[in-house]
């Protein structure tokens, strides 16, 4: 399982969440390595952040996050009011920078934990649904990047809720056509630089977890709580959570 976090609110230095909490993203990756999990979170990492400039910045590398001193230095010096971080556990695609999250296109940023079961069987069908322009934007080999581009194709810039529903529907239809019985699993976070859309969905009703912590000056989203406080709440499964400023609205996913 990949692990991720996202935050918006008052500007903070990135290491305040990536390194400093007792169960920080880095600590989670270290623990997975020490426990000798078969697929530890050592398949690369990425940061994406918004600033006063029009387009977000990002940094990807294939080194395990726990051993990269460049990441430690960048996180210590970069401050942002809205950012994402992701430590990767590959579900089959190669370990490379272009496969690291978050994926960025113009002002949009996207990260994902989960997988399309039988992806190799449906990949051709799904890629063919992209426009030529979006097909040429695809630089990696992950199902995650393809999900992002499909959402843009389906109108993410205009109606994100409808685009998310339509994309998950198209993926499930392709899986059904190929008689794939494994699930589509998604926990994902999307931003246009002003808002977040957070999805927790699985066709077997067992999606990866996403937790939220809200305070007066920031909202934090994470695949695992960053500490042991009781302020973390699990986002309901099969939902889209839309976050503007610190106001959250939840929508049921309609996949039909």
């Amino acid at each position: 399982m990949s692990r991720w976090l996202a935050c918006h609110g008052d500007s903070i230095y990135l290491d305040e969440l990536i390194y400093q909490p007792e169960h920080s993203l880095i600590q989670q990756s270290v623990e997975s390595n020490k426990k000798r999990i078969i697929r530890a979170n050592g398949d690369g990492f990425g940061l994406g952040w918004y600033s006063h400039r029009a387009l977000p910045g990002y940094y990807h590398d294939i080194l395990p996050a726990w051993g990269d001193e460049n990441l430690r230095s960048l996180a210590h010096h970069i401050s942002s009011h809205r950012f994402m971080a992701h430590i990767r556990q590959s579900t089959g695609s190669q370990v490379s920078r272009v496969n690291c999250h978050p994926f960025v296109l113009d002002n949009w940023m996207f990260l994902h934990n989960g997988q399309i079961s039988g992806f190799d069987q449906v990949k051709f069908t799904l890629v063919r649904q992209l426009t030529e322009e979006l097909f040429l934007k695809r630089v990696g080999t992950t199902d995650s990047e393809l999900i992002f581009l499909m959402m843009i194709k389906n109108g993410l810039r205009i109606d994100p809720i409808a685009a998310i529903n339509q994309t998950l529907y198209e993926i499930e239809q392709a899986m059904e056509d190929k008689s794939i019985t494994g699930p589509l699993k998604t926990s994902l976070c999307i931003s246009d630089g002003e808002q977040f859309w957070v999805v927790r969905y699985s066709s077997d009703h067992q999606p990866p977890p996403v937790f939220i912590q809200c305070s007066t000056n920031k909202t934090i989203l994470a695949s695992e709580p960053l500490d042991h406080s009781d302020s973390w709440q699990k986002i309901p499964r099969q939902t889209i959570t839309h976050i503007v400023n610190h106001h959250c609205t939840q929508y049921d996913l309609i996949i039909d």
Side-chain angles (χ1 to χ4, degrees):
M1 181 180 77
S2 297
R3 293 173 167 90
W4 62 266
L5 68 82
C7 177
H8 90 95
D10 294 346
S11 288
I12 61 171
Y13 287 103
L14 273 56
D15 65 352
E16 293 181 37
L17 292 184
I18 295 173
Y19 281 92
Q20 293 180 16
E22 57 185 302
H23 193 56
S24 70
L25 205 61
I26 298 300
Q27 186 60 33
Q28 292 172 36
S29 70
V30 170
E31 289 172 358
S32 72
N33 182 49
K34 287 181 177 178
K35 292 174 183 176
R36 300 184 184 276
I37 295 173
I38 293 175
R39 293 296 297 167
N41 296 112
D43 297 326
F45 63 85
L47 302 176
W49 65 92
Y50 293 92
S51 65
H52 63 280
R53 294 184 180 272
L55 301 179
Y58 60 90
Y59 174 62
H60 297 150
D61 210 327
I62 61 172
L63 293 173
W66 62 78
D68 190 288
E69 291 303 314
N70 289 326
L71 174 62
R72 183 181 294 274
S73 179
L74 286 171
H76 186 67
H77 287 279
I78 295 172
S79 65
S80 174
H81 64 285
R82 181 182 299 272
F83 62 91
M84 300 182 186
H86 184 279
I87 51 177
R88 183 170 182 247
Q89 176 184 309
S90 171
T91 56
S93 56
Q94 68 190 68
V95 177
S96 66
R97 285 190 180 92
V98 294
N99 285 339
C100 291
H101 310 220
F103 301 100
V104 175
L105 182 60
D106 300 326
N107 60 308
W108 288 85
M109 194 184 301
F110 173 100
L111 58 71
H112 172 241
N113 174 33
Q115 68 181 97
I116 300 173
S117 293
F119 179 54
D120 286 345
Q121 297 170 254
V122 298
K123 179 165 50 178
F124 180 68
T125 298
L126 298 178
V127 168
R128 289 180 65 197
Q129 295 181 25
L130 297 177
T131 64
E132 181 179 0
E133 178 185 6
L134 289 172
F135 174 82
L136 295 174
K137 297 286 187 183
R138 185 170 181 249
V139 295
T141 58
T142 64
D143 54 355
S144 301
E145 184 189 21
L146 182 54
I147 292 170
F148 179 35
L149 293 174
M150 289 180 67
M151 287 182 178
I152 292 175
K153 181 265 294 185
N154 285 325
L156 185 67
R157 296 182 176 103
I158 299 169
D159 188 343
I161 302 297
I164 291 166
N165 277 288
Q166 179 64 23
T167 299
L168 297 182
Y169 168 76
E170 291 175 357
I171 294 169
E172 289 198 345
Q173 282 296 112
M175 294 171 68
E176 183 179 335
D177 291 345
K178 295 291 186 179
S179 301
I180 294 168
T181 58
L184 164 64
K185 287 183 176 287
T186 60
S187 82
L188 58 87
C189 185
I190 310 165
S191 182
D192 63 354
E194 301 293 334
Q195 308 160 80
F196 278 139
W197 291 267
V198 183
V199 177
R200 185 168 178 245
Y201 174 80
S202 179
S203 55
D204 65 359
H205 291 259
Q206 297 181 38
V210 181
F211 293 85
I212 186 168
Q213 182 189 69
C214 299
S215 64
T216 57
N217 62 346
K218 65 178 178 291
T219 299
I220 305 171
L221 298 148
S223 52
E224 294 182 30
L226 304 183
D227 55 44
H228 296 291
S229 73
D230 58 6
S231 58
W232 294 93
Q233 297 186 0
K234 185 181 285 187
I235 288 179
R237 62 189 180 184
Q238 317 301 81
T239 61
I240 304 170
T241 302
H242 180 210
I243 304 169
V244 183
N245 296 322
H246 300 293
H247 179 71
C248 299
T249 305
Q250 284 184 341
Y251 302 88
D252 291 333
L253 275 156
I254 304 171
I255 312 299
D256 57 26

